[in-house]
Amino acid sequence: MKTVEDHPVKSEHIATGLNILQKRQNKLSMMSVLTGSVFIVSFVAIFIQQDFIYSFFGLTQTVEQLHIPYSIQGIVSEYHNQPDYLFNLLGWIGWFILKVFCSMVGAFVVIHFLKKFKFFAIRFQSFVLKFVAWLICIILIWSAFTYIQYDMNDDDEQDQYELIHYKQHIQESQIAQILNEDNSNDTVKAYVLGQVALLHKPTDKDVATSYVAQLVQAERTQHNFIEYGFKPEMIWTMQKQVYGQAMTPLAKSIEPKVLKADQISKVVNIALMALSALLFLFSLMFYSISRRLKGRIHRIQHQIEY
């Protein structure tokens, strides 16, 4: 069997050339992974960008978390630190990006490490087995990060769950009992319990409609309605979720913000679709060139050995 040493004239040049090709192939593989990861993030962003943009304007398309007006915050001590929806959304996006990059890159690192063992090196010669192993690594790493994410956020979510949870009737919820014991204003009750009904899984539409109707009537008849400290964006969201449109002046005052958010969302959506298409093409291109270089390296090594 001939080796590189049997070619004294060209052996050094061949080894150098192979080393350069190997480095290029590694760089192209990493570029393929990187662009593929960014593609996944940008593709998913197409579906969540509207919620993200809405949150910058203090809006949500559905009730996502309980807003307690200042007039009763003192009696709801268990939930005095209300989480910020935008902050939570940014945190979720941050975790998602972290999981995508760590899962994909981590899977390649694990596969590269396992290939050092003869048992795995032989089996990873099959592209199918190698891909399955890579996919399993992604799932395991993703699951680990997901567990850490939800373990860190569990306390805040548990506080809200205990406050608003009920099985049959909304009056069973802790927040309803607190409001009843404090003899809170009926309009304040309607505002809070309307949110609770919309947060219920599944949505308690009939109860929510009843409470939102009370709010609509109260805004039309009570001159001091604005003094309750209700959030206009929440009023808009509740009416939008129940009626499909803003019904009262306070809710309609939010419409300009909604229109602006929708305009920005359309532009961002087009940009993300174009970006996703480009990233997908680049990822395929880098992967294809990397595979060709890898095949070329193997052919050269095979010719040298034999």
Side-chain angles (χ1 to χ4, degrees), residues 98-116:
L98 180 66
K99 287 190 285 187
V100 168
F101 279 99
C102 289
S103 297
M104 296 192 71
V105 175
F108 275 101
V109 172
V110 172
I111 295 299
H112 179 74
F113 175 76
L114 291 176
K115 286 172 69 176
K116 295 182 181 297

Side-chain angles (χ1 to χ4, degrees), residues 182-243:
D182 189 65
N183 294 320
S184 298
N185 183 281
D186 288 340
T187 304
V188 174
K189 287 183 181 179
Y191 177 75
V192 175
L193 297 183
Q195 296 176 63
V196 172
L198 292 171
L199 285 168
H200 189 265
K201 304 298 181 185
T203 301
D204 199 342
K205 192 67 176 288
D206 292 338
V207 174
T209 301
S210 175
Y211 283 122
V212 173
Q214 290 182 45
L215 283 176
V216 171
Q217 184 63 23
E219 184 177 345
R220 290 172 176 171
T221 58
Q222 297 180 21
H223 299 294
N224 63 335
F225 183 83
I226 196 68
E227 297 176 5
Y228 290 121
F230 300 155
K231 191 177 179 181
E233 290 81 2
M234 181 59 75
I235 295 291
W236 177 84
T237 300
M238 294 170 72
Q239 293 182 14
K240 185 74 173 179
Q241 195 169 348
V242 171
Y243 299 119

Side-chain angles (χ1 to χ4, degrees), residues 102-156:
C102 289
S103 297
M104 296 192 71
V105 175
F108 275 101
V109 172
V110 172
I111 295 299
H112 179 74
F113 175 76
L114 291 176
K115 286 172 69 176
K116 295 182 181 297
F117 299 94
K118 186 177 180 180
F119 175 82
F120 292 105
I122 295 173
R123 283 154 180 79
F124 286 167
Q125 290 178 358
S126 168
F127 175 77
V128 175
L129 291 178
K130 187 176 180 180
F131 177 77
V132 171
W134 178 74
L135 192 61
I136 292 173
C137 290
I138 286 181
I139 294 172
L140 291 175
I141 297 172
W142 186 286
S143 299
F145 274 94
T146 300
Y147 175 81
I148 296 172
Q149 175 188 1
Y150 284 100
D151 184 63
M152 293 176 62
N153 296 332
D154 187 59
D155 291 340
D156 289 338

Side-chain angles (χ1 to χ4, degrees), residues 2-12 14 303-304:
K2 294 182 179 181
T3 63
V4 174
E5 285 74 15
D6 296 320
H7 304 271
V9 178
K10 297 183 179 180
S11 60
E12 184 177 343
I14 292 173
Q303 290 173 0
I304 291 173

